[in-house]
Amino acid sequence: MDERASTPGPARGPGAKTAARGPEAATRRRDLTLYWWGQTATAFGSVFTAIALPIVAVVHLGASAMEVGLISAAATLPILLFGLPAGAFADRITRPRRALMVLDCVSAATVAVVAVGLAQNIVTVVWLACLSVALGAMSTLTTAVYFLHLKQLAGADGVGPARAKLQAGQYGASLLGRLLSGPAVAVLGGASALALDAVSYLLSAVALLSMRQPDRLPPRAGQPLAATLRGAADGLRFFTKDPFHRALAVFITVPTCTAAAVTALTGPFLLRTLELPTEAFGAVFALSGVMGLGGSALASRLLRPGSDARRLALVTFTLSMASTALLPLSAGPLALAAPTAALGIGLPVFFGAIANVAVTSVLVADVPEAVLGRSMAALQVCTAAAGILGALTGGALGSRWGIREALWVMVLAGLGGVLVTLPRSLRTARRLREAAERRAVPDRDTSLEAERPA
């Protein structure tokens, strides 16, 4: 029974609506806070695995640049293979929170197995590649469900601010994790780092379990599973119909390709080319946490009502790509090279944090809810293909020409691809904004006419 229907007369005004919604709003804030804690804990733990894997591969197993590239590429292989079906299944899920809890528990068990293997000194490069594949598979499913759950918690209008807050927490956790992970791996070993990551997944599952909002989405219109799977490519077609969305796909995939190559080469570059001590390896990445926090905070200000999220996404993706060039510029004494490398890692994160929030606002506004999961999965597939290409190309070039030379080739190629597309994409974004403003003017005039007395 609706409690407002049985409320006495004086309480039926606007105040009654606010009072009735008070408990619901408090529950929503509580659940978003729990989600923030869970995602922040996972981000903190994942940093330890991200730092431990290249150290174990390069220092303890003597992996080549090509092998490090293979480990990096293995993380994106499941997205390429299962991304579209995962999106199709996500669009059928009516309990996204329960699905996320299961994925957290499976991820915790997978990381724990490799941690035990490290403790027993039986881990090989193949083990690390298998871990990357397993975590990539879990990430594929998690990302497909993530926006459904976030929209369920925050509502359509609150997705942008909630995303910015979640991202800020993840960057803050990454900052702390990067400061602690290098010394922790050096002193305690890779097994302890992975064990901490496993615990963080369990903490995220507990946070999801503690939420109070109903975990149920409206059931989708009765489409059989086979038809849903056949329509798995509908999300991919969304990015091919509109000129701006085609351009946006380029601006997402090209930097992803370059970033994958740079990520695969960063460990060998820092540890071998710059001869950075293992204890300081994580500290070089600490600036990226600060930059991510700053970018997330700035994004919430830049994306106020009336802002142009499309043009902001294009510009910040370009700036992120350009600032990556600071990494191969790192040279000279370690006291000079290490800060320059930190800027080459941190500044792309700063601009990328703004771009990520802007893209989220664009996609949630533009993508129909019926294909939201498939559209996000299609984007994952495109970025996965770009990531595999980048990681393998970067590793191959690093082994053949040298690590610094490979970094330069990938950075300049990626920047060139973005700059060629930028002018036309900005013009398209401007036309879309002007068209939206023209549509809004008659709507406002109509509402004013309706308010005038007869």
Side-chain angles (χ1 to χ4, degrees):
M1 180 177 181
D2 189 349
E3 294 179 357
R4 285 176 291 176
S6 61
T7 305
R12 290 188 178 183
K17 186 176 181 180
T18 303
R21 291 184 177 179
E24 179 183 345
T27 299
R28 174 169 290 185
R29 287 194 299 270
R30 175 186 179 276
D31 287 356
L32 281 171
T33 301
L34 284 170
Y35 197 44
W36 183 89
W37 279 110
Q39 293 294 300
T40 301
T42 302
F44 178 78
S46 296
V47 168
F48 280 77
T49 295
I51 296 298
L53 287 185
I55 291 177
V56 171
V58 174
V59 177
H60 299 289
L61 301 179
S64 66
M66 186 62 191
E67 288 174 323
V68 175
L70 287 171
I71 293 173
S72 179
T76 55
L77 183 61
I79 305 174
L80 187 63
L81 296 177
F82 308 118
L84 294 179
F89 277 112
D91 282 332
R92 294 176 60 89
I93 287 176
T94 57
R95 292 182 177 272
R97 189 180 309 148
R98 182 178 297 181
L100 291 174
M101 288 170 55
V102 172
L103 292 170
D104 279 339
C105 292
V106 174
S107 298
T110 303
V111 175
V113 168
V114 180
V116 172
L118 280 174
Q120 299 296 321
N121 293 319
I122 58 175
V123 166
T124 63
V125 171
V126 174
W127 275 61
L128 301 184
C130 290
L131 175 61
S132 293
V133 169
L135 292 180
M138 297 302 106
S139 176
T140 301
L141 296 170
T142 298
T143 303
V145 180
Y146 174 88
F147 288 99
L148 293 171
H149 184 242
L150 184 59
K151 191 173 182 179
Q152 179 189 39
L153 287 181
D157 294 337
V159 167
R163 172 66 169 161
K165 182 178 178 181
L166 287 165
Q167 184 173 268
Q170 291 165 10
Y171 279 122
S174 297
L175 168 61
L176 182 60
R178 293 184 192 283
L179 289 173
L180 299 176
S181 57
V185 172
V187 174
L188 301 176
S192 298
L194 266 63
L196 180 61
D197 191 15
V199 171
S200 73
Y201 280 114
L202 294 178
L203 291 176
S204 175
V206 171
L208 291 166
L209 183 63
S210 303
M211 293 180 184
R212 294 175 180 171
Q213 289 189 70
D215 178 30
R216 183 177 289 278
L217 294 174
R220 307 302 195 268
Q223 188 181 48
L225 177 60
T228 301
L229 290 176
R230 286 195 299 271
D234 289 346
L236 190 60
R237 283 191 285 271
F238 170 81
F239 289 98
T240 63
K241 294 179 181 179
D242 180 84
F244 176 78
H245 295 136
R246 288 197 296 269
L248 186 62
V250 172
F251 273 82
I252 294 173
T253 54
V254 170
T256 298
C257 179
T258 302
V262 171
T263 299
L265 295 169
T266 296
F269 179 72
L270 295 177
L271 294 170
R272 291 177 180 167
T273 304
L274 299 186
E275 298 181 350
L276 187 74
T278 301
E279 294 81 0
F281 186 77
V284 172
F285 294 87
L287 183 62
S288 64
V290 177
M291 292 293 190
L293 279 171
S296 300
L298 182 59
S300 63
R301 295 179 178 273
L302 294 175
L303 290 168
R304 292 191 297 265
S307 61
D308 192 345
R310 293 182 176 89
R311 299 184 72 185
L312 181 63
L314 298 175
V315 171
T316 48
F317 270 128
T318 304
L319 292 174
S320 176
M321 190 72 262
S323 57
T324 307
L326 287 172
L327 183 61
L329 278 173
S330 306
L334 188 59
L336 176 63
T340 306
L343 283 173
I345 296 169
L347 280 175
V349 172
F350 174 79
F351 294 115
I354 301 174
N356 286 337
V357 177
V359 166
T360 299
S361 299
V362 171
L363 294 181
V364 169
D366 292 357
V367 179
E369 186 171 352
V371 294
L372 182 59
R374 278 169 283 182
S375 297
M376 296 302 175
L379 198 57
Q380 279 195 90
V381 170
C382 293
T383 55
I388 290 177
L389 176 63
L392 295 178
T393 303
L397 293 178
S399 297
R400 184 176 181 84
W401 292 347
I403 296 173
R404 189 187 300 274
E405 291 77 8
L407 284 171
W408 273 121
V409 169
M410 297 304 300
V411 169
L412 293 177
L415 182 58
V418 168
L419 289 176
V420 167
T421 314
L422 181 62
R424 183 177 180 181
S425 303
L426 288 173
R427 289 194 297 269
T428 304
R430 185 178 66 250
R431 286 196 295 268
L432 289 172
R433 179 175 175 82
E434 291 172 350
E437 291 174 348
R438 286 194 297 270
R439 288 194 301 269
V441 171
D443 292 341
R444 287 196 296 269
D445 292 342
T446 302
S447 63
L448 289 174
E449 289 291 339
E451 291 176 2
R452 291 175 183 171

